[in-house]
Amino acid sequence: MPCWKVLFLLFFIPLLLIFLISPSTVSSYSLDVKVSSSVKVNLSVYYETLCPSCANFIVKNLMSIFNDGLFDIINLRMVPWGNAHMNRVNNTIVCQNGLDECELNTIQACAINVFRDVNKYYGLIFCMEFLAIEGRHQNWQTCFDSLGLSAKSVLKCYNNGTGTKLEVEHGYETAHLDPPQSFLPWVVVNYQPLGNCRITTILQLMYAMLTKALLNPVSANCLQQISAQ
């Protein structure tokens, strides 16, 4: 289905219904509304670390969920693999953007596994992707210091082969996506892929599907962000 049709079905119709209900209902969407923490929406991002569109999405778009009241009800999963593949001849991982990307994919996989706390590992991923945008990805180790995080366990994971095993698992998961990944970043909300739309459209669809998946009203701030796209 074309992106504009998906966007229309998932965003414009639900938003129109909200404003057609009644003025009193609309006014209830205030910044004081609290979303129930018992409602969890699964948001998975399949990406690769030196992909420009992935880095821009992580730094400039995805970061917004931490600021608009949605983060508390989201299970965010980051899956660093992208278009990598296994070389069956020597059983090694080959990455689309070279050895540096394989290294960063594995480092980020280790960080996710070691820290567990999404605020910590997303902060690290954000920092590394920011450096990637600026062409300074080789300085990724400085991100640990700037965030006050220890690199010891992450580097141990990377050096002892655990990171490679994690990446193989990410590769298996990515290869078995249904429908298959055809664009990066590949964003999935409650197991429904947003497809190969433009980044701005993906962001609109992501917010539309997140708000549609909630059982409680969302904040006016969230609605404003959707409308502003």
Side-chain angles (χ1 to χ4, degrees):
M1 182 182 295
C3 291
W4 71 268
K5 288 186 178 180
V6 177
L7 183 61
F8 182 78
L9 291 173
L10 293 177
F11 169 54
F12 290 107
I13 290 180
L15 191 60
L16 180 62
L17 289 175
I18 288 174
F19 286 95
L20 286 178
I21 295 173
S22 71
S24 61
T25 302
V26 174
S27 65
S28 69
Y29 286 81
S30 68
L31 292 175
D32 296 327
V33 173
K34 301 298 183 182
V35 179
S36 171
S37 60
S38 63
V39 181
K40 290 289 184 179
V41 180
N42 296 303
L43 172 60
S44 300
V45 180
Y46 297 83
Y47 70 104
E48 57 192 22
T49 52
L50 295 184
C51 157
S53 60
C54 297
N56 276 289
F57 179 72
I58 290 169
V59 171
K60 299 178 181 179
N61 301 127
L62 187 59
M63 184 65 184
S64 61
I65 68 171
F66 290 82
N67 304 319
D68 61 16
L70 283 176
F71 178 70
D72 290 339
I73 49 80
I74 291 174
N75 286 321
L76 177 63
R77 294 185 65 248
M78 304 295 291
V79 185
W81 176 265
N83 291 323
H85 66 274
M86 292 296 300
N87 182 334
R88 298 301 178 185
V89 175
N90 56 14
N91 204 34
T92 59
I93 298 173
V94 180
C95 296
Q96 179 168 261
N97 295 297
L99 294 177
D100 283 357
E101 183 168 79
C102 281
E103 179 183 50
L104 279 179
N105 284 353
T106 308
I107 287 293
Q108 291 188 13
C110 283
I112 293 167
N113 186 64
V114 167
F115 292 123
R116 304 288 179 172
D117 182 345
V118 65
N119 290 288
K120 291 182 179 179
Y121 70 69
Y122 188 82
L124 200 62
I125 291 172
F126 178 94
C127 178
M128 291 180 183
E129 295 308 306
F130 181 83
L131 292 178
I133 291 173
E134 293 197 332
R136 298 188 293 122
H137 65 271
Q138 292 181 336
N139 296 333
W140 58 266
Q141 292 197 49
T142 62
C143 290
F144 288 93
D145 292 333
S146 64
L147 294 170
L149 298 173
S150 172
K152 183 177 180 180
S153 295
V154 174
L155 294 177
K156 180 180 179 181
C157 166
Y158 177 81
N159 291 321
N160 67 13
T162 301
T164 300
K165 293 178 182 177
L166 292 170
E167 275 297 273
V168 170
E169 292 174 4
H170 287 163
Y172 181 86
E173 178 181 344
T174 302
H176 288 82
L177 288 170
D178 184 19
Q181 165 194 295
S182 60
F183 181 84
L184 289 176
W186 190 253
V187 182
V188 179
V189 178
N190 273 358
Y191 312 107
Q192 298 183 55
L194 303 190
N196 57 345
C197 304
R198 293 179 304 161
I199 292 297
T200 52
T201 306
I202 286 176
L203 187 64
Q204 291 173 325
L205 290 173
M206 182 179 76
Y207 273 102
M209 291 188 72
L210 285 172
T211 54
K212 183 180 179 182
L214 298 179
L215 300 180
N216 293 327
V218 294
S219 69
N221 190 25
C222 176
L223 292 176
Q224 289 167 5
Q225 289 211 26
I226 301 172
S227 303
Q229 299 305 314

